[in-house]
Amino acid sequence: MYKVYFRQAMQMLRQNKFFSIVYITGTGLAITMVMVLAILYYFRTADIAPETNRDRMMIVQHGKVNNKKGQGYGSSKLSYPTIKECFYRMQTPEAVTAILPIGEQSEFIQVQGSNDVYNGLVMGTDAAFWKVFQFSFLSGTPYTEEEFISGIKKAVLNESLARRLFNTSDAAGKTFMLNFEEYIVSGVVKDIPSIAKYSYAEMWIPFTTRPSQIQGGSWCDYILGHMKVCILAKKPGDFDAIRQEAKELCRRYNTTTVQYDFVLNNQPDTVFHAWMSEGDSFNSPELLKIYLQIILIILLLLLVPSINLTGMTASRMKKRMEELGIRKAFGAENRTLLMQILYENLLLTFLGGLAGLLGSYILIYLLKGWLLGNYNWDGSSLTASIDLSPGMLINPAIFGYTLIFCLVLNLMSALVPAWRALRRPIVDAINDK
């Protein structure tokens, strides 16, 4: 019977081309929009190398200062002195790393004796950075804690930059010029995707080589500056304890400041929370509101097409009343007719799902720079390139959940009008015009 249902469904698709195209398109567009949101969520929050521990990571993106006398405040990223006092002292996490993000200045990279000059994306890190993020080294090793503290001019390059400079990935020990200062290559790592927001760069150096950038601003007693903090918890259940410890260290730090108090603004954040806030931290009720808004958007993207398809199906059932009445007169059971209608709907939904899946990948690929790129405050790109591997895009779980939800809605949209049509008396169905 299933083979018969399939042949009948295919025949119905050919006979009702306009209805089939509209139905498949409606289902496909709904799945495309939901899949785009799901893929973006996956890219920003899933464990993708080298950020393989995002489920245990917490982020401090910025801070705030309040004048102790109540006259004025400000907000920005953090300074190194603040990070040392408020975060490096923490005992609850597994590791704490501070980063000087890319984009603070133009970086000029050149090999001595060569006329070629490159503009690279350089990130400043500490030695703990290589414990929090899992890089794959092709050559050499990361710089050590002793080298970081001493401010020695060493660098870790990604594979692409190493090949541009030295025509090989085996570049450990070689030298080059960074902003007209000589650096030694400590190691070379595999290229990482730009969606690894907190670790992405083309070159990583000890930020102690740039004391003027990490010291902070004099306007806020050097509390705020240009740096961020990434915290790796031992387990996700430690998040509340980490926040409490950070709050206590912040309170102690404020007893030593003269003019301003340092405020954490409900941080450290989870990776998802940090991604959603992008500079403004939210409290728990505001975060719950964001979750509800996302769920509402997804439901609207799925329900609105489903409601429209219900109306189309009802109209189609009305046109098929004479056919259904004649088949019932020749002994066809309601169950058989209902199964055929649902099988037709299942085939249309499946085709719409495939169209939606393909559409989401096309949309992500065409708009990947806008959707996945990292940008500076002035709109300049902080992304050398955005390469998406098939493994990043193909996520059966996301597509499966979306297709099942859409399938349920579409089956309901077909079941109600079909059941109402089949309940009509045979004579009324045959004479329905």
Side-chain angles (χ1 to χ4, degrees):
M1 287 302 296
Y2 293 111
K3 293 182 179 179
V4 173
Y5 290 152
F6 180 77
R7 287 197 297 268
Q8 290 174 337
M10 291 300 297
Q11 184 64 27
M12 191 58 63
L13 260 64
R14 288 192 289 267
Q15 292 177 357
N16 299 272
K17 293 181 180 179
F18 178 76
F19 173 84
S20 300
I21 291 174
V22 173
Y23 199 104
I24 292 172
T25 302
T27 303
L29 287 176
I31 291 183
T32 294
M33 294 299 103
V34 174
M35 281 293 294
V36 168
L37 292 177
I39 290 172
L40 290 179
Y41 172 81
Y42 173 78
F43 281 166
R44 295 302 189 187
T45 61
D47 294 339
I48 298 176
E51 298 178 6
T52 55
N53 298 306
R54 283 177 173 174
D55 60 328
R56 294 192 289 132
M57 279 181 57
M58 303 188 78
I59 311 297
V60 183
Q61 300 193 100
H62 57 86
K64 181 180 177 182
V65 290
N66 288 333
N67 195 303
K68 291 179 181 289
K69 297 180 180 180
Q71 300 175 354
Y73 65 91
S75 62
S76 182
K77 298 184 183 75
L78 311 182
S79 70
Y80 185 44
T82 299
I83 292 171
K84 287 195 294 185
E85 295 298 323
C86 295
F87 300 102
Y88 276 178
R89 295 175 180 270
M90 299 182 74
Q91 300 297 316
T92 306
E94 180 178 319
V96 176
T97 183
I99 60 174
L100 182 65
I102 58 178
E104 296 297 336
Q105 67 177 39
S106 297
E107 309 283 357
F108 302 102
I109 306 169
Q110 186 178 26
V111 176
Q112 287 180 316
S114 172
N115 294 324
D116 296 328
V117 179
Y118 302 95
N119 290 320
L121 300 174
V122 181
M123 175 182 288
T125 79
D126 53 20
F129 178 83
W130 308 105
K131 299 178 181 179
V132 175
F133 302 104
Q134 305 302 310
F135 286 79
S136 179
F137 275 80
L138 302 175
S139 172
T141 60
Y143 35 83
T144 64
E145 179 71 21
E146 293 75 17
E147 291 170 334
F148 164 75
I149 293 174
S150 64
I152 191 170
K153 289 181 170 57
K154 280 197 168 185
V156 174
L157 312 182
N158 73 358
E159 183 178 6
S160 295
L161 182 58
R163 290 187 180 280
R164 287 202 301 270
L165 294 176
F166 306 108
N167 295 318
T168 178
S169 61
D170 187 15
K174 297 181 182 295
T175 61
F176 66 96
M177 303 298 291
L178 175 62
N179 298 329
F180 310 108
E181 294 182 323
E182 185 176 85
Y183 276 72
I184 301 173
V185 178
S186 176
V188 178
V189 297
K190 287 184 178 180
D191 291 352
I192 66 172
S194 61
I195 56 177
K197 181 177 180 180
Y198 301 105
S199 56
Y200 172 74
E202 295 176 288
M203 179 191 303
W204 299 264
I205 63 173
F207 56 68
T208 46
T209 60
R210 298 184 174 179
S212 62
Q213 293 187 37
I214 65 176
Q215 188 62 27
S218 58
W219 64 272
C220 58
D221 291 342
Y222 303 98
I223 295 175
L224 303 180
H226 304 285
M227 305 184 70
K228 296 181 180 181
V229 176
C230 298
I231 301 171
L232 182 63
K234 295 175 182 176
K235 57 183 184 298
D238 292 340
F239 285 175
D240 289 338
I242 289 173
R243 290 190 182 97
Q244 285 300 118
E245 185 178 9
K247 184 177 180 181
E248 175 60 22
L249 289 172
C250 179
R251 185 193 64 79
R252 295 180 188 176
Y253 180 52
N254 287 334
T255 63
T256 66
T257 57
V258 178
Q259 188 176 357
Y260 292 96
D261 283 330
F262 174 54
V263 182
L264 278 172
N265 278 357
N266 303 307
Q267 297 179 97
D269 291 327
T270 63
V271 171
F272 173 74
H273 193 172
W275 170 48
M276 293 302 299
S277 62
E278 289 291 342
D280 295 311
S281 187
F282 302 132
N283 55 35
S284 296
E286 290 172 327
L287 186 59
L288 178 60
K289 183 179 179 181
I290 291 174
Y291 279 114
L292 293 176
Q293 288 173 343
I294 293 174
I295 293 173
L296 179 61
I297 290 173
I298 292 176
L299 288 176
L300 287 175
L301 289 174
L302 292 175
L303 286 175
V304 171
S306 179
I307 293 172
N308 292 332
L309 294 177
T310 300
M312 291 181 59
T313 304
S315 175
R316 181 170 171 240
M317 285 298 101
K318 188 174 181 180
K319 294 180 179 180
R320 296 182 64 184
M321 285 304 301
E322 186 175 357
E323 171 205 338
L324 297 176
I326 293 174
R327 292 184 64 183
K328 287 175 67 176
F330 278 91
E333 297 180 355
N334 284 349
R335 178 179 176 277
T336 302
L337 297 176
L338 184 61
M339 285 299 297
Q340 179 188 341
I341 294 171
L342 293 182
Y343 208 84
E344 293 172 6
N345 183 271
L346 177 64
L347 180 60
L348 288 170
T349 302
F350 180 72
L351 293 175
L354 292 180
L357 182 65
L358 180 61
S360 65
Y361 291 159
I362 293 174
L363 199 60
I364 288 289
Y365 182 79
L366 294 177
L367 301 179
K368 62 182 181 180
W370 179 60
L371 294 173
L372 302 173
N374 297 324
Y375 296 91
N376 203 356
W377 60 272
D378 60 357
S380 58
S381 177
L382 301 178
T383 304
S385 63
I386 300 178
D387 297 320
L388 302 177
S389 66
M392 295 179 187
L393 288 173
I394 299 175
N395 191 310
I398 294 176
F399 175 65
Y401 290 137
T402 305
L403 183 61
I404 289 173
F405 189 80
C406 201
L407 177 62
V408 171
L409 291 178
N410 285 6
L411 286 178
M412 293 299 296
S413 71
L415 182 63
V416 174
W419 180 250
R420 290 180 61 186
L422 292 174
R423 290 183 62 189
R424 299 194 62 182
I426 295 176
V427 175
D428 291 344
I430 293 175
N431 292 319
D432 197 323
K433 300 294 183 182

